[in-house]
Structures are given as structure tokens and as C-alpha cells.
Amino acid sequence: MTKNIRNFCIIAHIDHGKSTLADRLIQLTGTVSDRDMKEQLLDTMDIERERGITIKMQAVRLEYRAKDGEMYILNLIDTPGHVDFSYEVSRSLAACEGALLLVDSTQGIEAQTMANFYLALEHDLEIIPVVNKVDLPSADIEKVTGEIEHVLGIPASDCLLTSAKTGLGIPDVLEAIVKRVPLPRNPETMTTLRALIFDAHYDEYKGVIIYVRVVSGELVKGQKILLMSIDKTYEVLEIGFFKPKMTASQKIDTGEVGYVILNIKNVSDANIGDTLTDAKNPVDTPLPGYKEAKPMVFCGFYPVDTEQFPDLRDALERLQLNDSSLHFETESSQALGFGFRCGFLGLLHLDIIQERLEREFNIDIVATAPNVTYRITKTDGEIIMLDNPSNFPPVQQIAVMEEPIMGLSVITPNSFIGTVMELTQEHRGLYQKTEYIDSERQLIKFLIPLNELISNFFDKLKSATRGYASMDYWFEAYQPARLVKVNMLINGDPVDALSFISHESKSVYIARRMAEKLKELIPRQLYEVNIQGAVGGKVICRETIKAMRKNVTAKCYGGDISRKRKLLEKQKEGKKRMKSIGSIEVPKEAFLAVLKIDS
């Protein structure tokens, strides 16, 4: 019955206890037996468990008998907390009517708490504030509930007090979900099947498994359905629910969340945000779907073994099915051969995708330096979006160069305000305004170039504020900037995979750091190796790797000095000849080290 279905998600800042709360809800409703229960049950990837973060949203169906005696179906979607995965959060919000907004009682409201709160408001969700970790000695419940009332405008009396670790207050959370989360939207007005595809993953044996939220009608096993975006018809081979393992069923009713297997052969046919409808009686208009995620950071991925290029393509297609915010297209490099230009939402997103490729698909890859998309207006009026330094046009053809500027909000204790201001100024940040959260913390807003934001800014902020500050960022606009393309040369030959675009004021510093790093990592040769950074025809930095030398004069025990000079001159000529025909192989570690260079 639709009136007994509740769809909700858990949203919070990173490390505020979302996965632990999900564990307790699963345990209390008896969805998983105590024998099969483990911590972070919904975090299925090894990387999630090792890093202690949620990367992928996960759906699970809970059955709960409320105090009124009725049996309710609660469809829970656990979401990530890191800013790089906010697209995952927005997709899960579109499949729900309510959200548990989790706030750590020892830390209070943080940057991503506010970002997720406003996302939930945009989707018109019922928000239930939950103050977690109230059992800890450092918990300040009164202060945190006061923050929620003052900053978010939710009465302190509406806050639920819980400890997800001990299970304290969890029954109250379940009752609040039943009473306060609205019924599924549009349950009775339309009987024709409409289902939203909100996620998918690839299974070696079953093919593409699609996650759906049925908005109207019902989905039945054996039914012929139509995928509206590609206009293709499939037969439903298997349907079911996540409990949390996939459990087969005969049908999925209006308002319910489940999975569908359609024997889709081509991974690209399953589009996240697509509408699934009855092939015999299709609806006229599809569901709104999702805004397309815009990648912020670009990087080249190349297989170490060139024969693995097709494997890398298949792996990226499968990951894109599971993570629709990943973008990629084929490119080639003189130094690295064929690979892919990939777009990511941030550096953590890049790091996670790279690690998943190496772990799940056993493909060793080299990643080039990350960069952002610049907008260039040429003298003939043509506007190009540049995400690859190798496509940088000649300077004489450029009229205007623009870089992406981000809005940045930082929540910090008062004692670190000066430190935060200094750090953002070093990264070309521009102060906007300050908002007071309480007597001890402030929210400061800046404008900052995205190029600066991706250069370990988050790590520096955490270090400078001893981990107390939190940040959130969003795209604001493109602004004119003085940009240059820096080529890294090894013995006069440019290595295109190491070239980068930088602001003019920082180009010498970054090029010098890169040259120093390459000097450390490139093995010594039998001849001298020159590493240079150049802007156009002007060399802006240089490092030299000294040649390995054999002591050719060791056999000379005496005699005239001219004998030694003759041997040294002969050696010098040989090294010169070697240098003219020798080629330097840049090790994989050099490309990876470039990722860690601060700007």
C-alpha cells in the first residue's frame, strides 16, 4: 500500500556518522541478522572501508512495524558526505520525499552540512534534524541544537538526539520517519508506468543492473518496457528489492525503490536520469531526470602497457555506468601513446577513480597533471573551451583568456580566521563576506580560481586549522586572467604529458618545483640530461642531471698530463654522441609526483 511507504535519505558532512546510523536502522528493523551484521554494511567497496568514507550512494529496503501497529516499508538511501560527491547526493534526493540531516554533537554545523541542507530544500524534501554522538563526553547538545535553529531555521525542539554507535534514540528516528516523511509523490493521479533510473552498476553475470524509483504504475516481471531517452524496448527479466542484498520479487509498486535487469548488452544504453515506461502504453513526457554533472578537473589516463588500451576503455565505461559524473574521451600523447582525457568533480574523485581502475580492473595507469577548463576567445571571435594544454592556441591568435572562478565557504573557529585569510590570499582568493554561526565560529565566503582550489588547498586548510575548518565550493563564473602554457623539456624535447597551463604569476614557481621533482625521479644516464621549463621560446627554469662517469684515467699511474686530457676528451666526445641519439624514459612515478606539486 502506497500510504505505508516512506522514501528517505541520510545527508551530512563527512564523518558525522551517516553509515553508522544506517547500520543501526538496518539492525533495529531486523533487515539483516546479527550474524551477518558488520560495520559500514552499505559501504561495499574496499576503498570505502579503508578510507572510512562513503563514495557511492546505496539503497536498502527496511520493513518496520510502528507503534500504531501498521507495517511500513522504508526505502533508505545512504549518501556520501565529501563535497566531490555532492552529485551523488543530489541524485538520491530526487528519489526521496524526506531527509535525515545528521549533525555531529561534538562539531556542530559544518560547510557540507549547509550545502546538503540547501540541496534538500531545492528538492522540497521534509528535513528531520538528527543530532548524533550525544553519548560522547565532548558533546554540546544545547549549543548544536541552538546552531540548527539559528543557522538553518529549524526549531531546536524538532531535533532528535541519538547515538548511532550505541543505538540510543534510534527508535525515535524510525517513528519520526513514519510520521514526518510525506507519502510518495503523485501516487494515485497516474496509473501508467513511469520509473526514474537513479543509479546502475555492471555485474559480470547479470549485465547491467538498473536502480529505479517507480513514480506511478507498477513494474512487473516479464513486462515489455521502453527506455525513453534511447527509444529501445526490453523485456524485464528480473526485478526485486535491496534488503540490502538483491532479493527477487514479482513486481515493484508505485512509490517503491528496487532494481531491474533487462539483459542490456551495451553499457551506454543505461542512462542515469532516464525514464522507464510501459512499451504498450507509454507516457508522453519523461520525468525531469537530473542536471548533467559538469566536470571541474581534467586529467589524462594512459595505460602503462599500451595493449591494455581497450581494457581501459571497457573499465571506464563500466565505471561511468556506476558514476555518471565521470566523463572521458580518447586522446593521444607523444610520450604516453593512446589514452583518455577524463573529467572529474574534484581531486578526491580523480584519486578514487584511479584507484578503482587499478584495483577492480587490474590496469596500471599513468595520470597526467590535473587541470581545469579555460575559456579562450580567439581574435577571429571563436570561443573554445580548453581542457588540454596540448590544444593551447598560439598566443598571437588569443584575444581573451578566462579561468573558472569558484565560490568558497569556510567554517572556521575564530582563532584561525587570520590563518584562513592568509591561506586564501596566497591562492589568489578574494574575500567576500563573513557570517556568524555562534560566538566561537564564523562562516567566511571567498571567490577563488578553481586552478588554485585543486592544488592541495583542502589539505593545506586542514593543516593550517588543525582539522577544525571545513569547506564547500561551487562554480561562480569565468573571469579574465593572464594565463601561460608552460612546456617541460627534457634535453630540448617537450614532454606533452607534463605541460600545464598556469597563471603568469605562478608559472616560474610551479615549473621550478616540477623540474626539481623530475631531477629526483629520472634515473641518471651515461650523459648529461637537461630539464627545462619554457613559456614560448623563453626558458624560465633549468635543472641538470649529471652524467654517470667511468674513471677513464684510473689506469694512468703517471706520465704526462696530456695522456689524461686525451682520455677525458675522448670520453666527452662519446657522451656527446650518446646524448644526440639517446632517449630518456620518464618513469611513471614522475607523472604521479606532478599531482602532488603545490601551486
Side-chain angles (χ1 to χ4, degrees), residues 112-286:
Q112 205 54 28
T113 314
M114 295 184 67
N116 287 335
F117 170 74
Y118 290 122
L119 264 178
L121 280 185
E122 283 176 27
H123 286 82
D124 196 25
L125 265 59
E126 176 66 31
I127 298 169
I128 303 171
V130 180
V131 178
N132 194 25
K133 305 185 186 180
V134 297
D135 59 317
L136 296 180
S138 56
D140 193 339
I141 298 166
E142 193 174 325
K143 178 187 164 192
V144 172
T145 53
E147 272 183 22
I148 290 171
E149 186 163 348
H150 171 67
V151 179
L152 305 181
I154 302 173
S157 57
D158 287 357
C159 297
L160 302 174
L161 307 181
T162 66
S163 167
K165 196 154 196 171
T166 65
L168 176 70
I170 303 301
D172 296 335
V173 174
L174 287 165
E175 284 297 317
I177 292 165
V178 167
K179 290 174 183 171
R180 288 159 66 173
V181 173
L183 300 181
R185 295 186 187 117
N186 194 21
E188 308 297 342
T189 52
M190 184 181 283
T191 55
T192 309
L193 173 65
R194 286 187 307 160
L196 175 70
I197 299 176
F198 69 88
D199 204 358
H201 78 270
Y202 187 85
D203 183 271
E204 288 289 343
Y205 304 103
K206 297 185 177 182
V208 178
I209 296 172
I210 293 172
Y211 299 24
V212 294
R213 155 73 197 273
V214 178
V215 177
S216 62
E218 64 178 18
L219 196 54
V220 184
K221 186 177 178 181
Q223 182 178 5
K224 295 277 189 195
I225 60 98
L226 175 73
L227 294 178
M228 294 187 76
S229 69
I230 56 171
D231 197 29
K232 284 189 178 179
T233 303
Y234 291 96
E235 183 182 343
V236 177
L237 300 181
E238 184 185 324
I239 57 174
F241 305 107
F242 300 99
K243 291 188 172 182
K245 291 180 180 175
M246 292 194 301
T247 307
S249 174
Q250 289 301 308
K251 67 175 183 176
I252 305 175
D253 271 325
T254 302
E256 292 186 323
V257 172
Y259 71 89
V260 185
I261 298 174
L262 303 172
N263 195 24
I264 293 178
K265 299 291 185 188
N266 193 348
V267 168
S268 60
D269 282 0
N271 296 314
I272 308 300
D274 194 3
T275 301
L276 187 146
T277 186
D278 191 341
K280 294 177 183 174
N281 183 24
V283 292
D284 297 327
T285 53

Side-chain angles (χ1 to χ4, degrees), residues 296-301 341-344 346-348 350-351 354 367-374 387-389 450-456 497-502 510 514 591-597 599:
M296 293 292 180
V297 178
F298 290 85
C299 172
F301 278 176
R341 191 86 190 153
C342 303
F344 307 93
L347 281 187
L348 177 66
L350 185 159
D351 189 28
Q354 183 176 344
T368 62
N371 63 282
V372 303
T373 305
Y374 299 98
D387 60 24
N388 190 339
L450 178 58
N451 204 6
E452 299 287 337
L453 202 60
I454 67 169
S455 58
N456 290 343
L498 292 176
S499 64
F500 62 93
I501 299 169
S502 163
I510 300 172
M514 196 177 286
F591 295 100
L592 299 179
V594 168
L595 290 171
K596 299 177 176 65
I597 288 178
S599 65

Side-chain angles (χ1 to χ4, degrees), residues 341-374:
R341 191 86 190 153
C342 303
F344 307 93
L345 299 180
L347 281 187
L348 177 66
H349 189 205
L350 185 159
D351 189 28
I352 293 294
I353 293 293
Q354 183 176 344
E355 196 165 338
R356 288 186 70 184
L357 285 169
E358 291 179 344
R359 280 191 184 200
E360 297 174 24
F361 301 96
N362 296 319
I363 301 172
D364 282 333
I365 56 174
V366 172
T368 62
N371 63 282
V372 303
T373 305
Y374 299 98

Side-chain angles (χ1 to χ4, degrees), residues 9 27 105 220 246 254 364 366 489 493 508:
C9 60
Q27 200 170 21
S105 61
V220 184
M246 292 194 301
T254 302
D364 282 333
V366 172
L489 312 173
D493 296 326
V508 176

Side-chain angles (χ1 to χ4, degrees), residues 37 59 66 80-81 84 88 129 140 167 217 336 410 419 453 589 598:
M37 194 65 202
D84 277 14
E88 290 281 316
D140 193 339
L336 300 170
V410 178
T419 310
L453 202 60
E589 290 76 20
D598 301 337

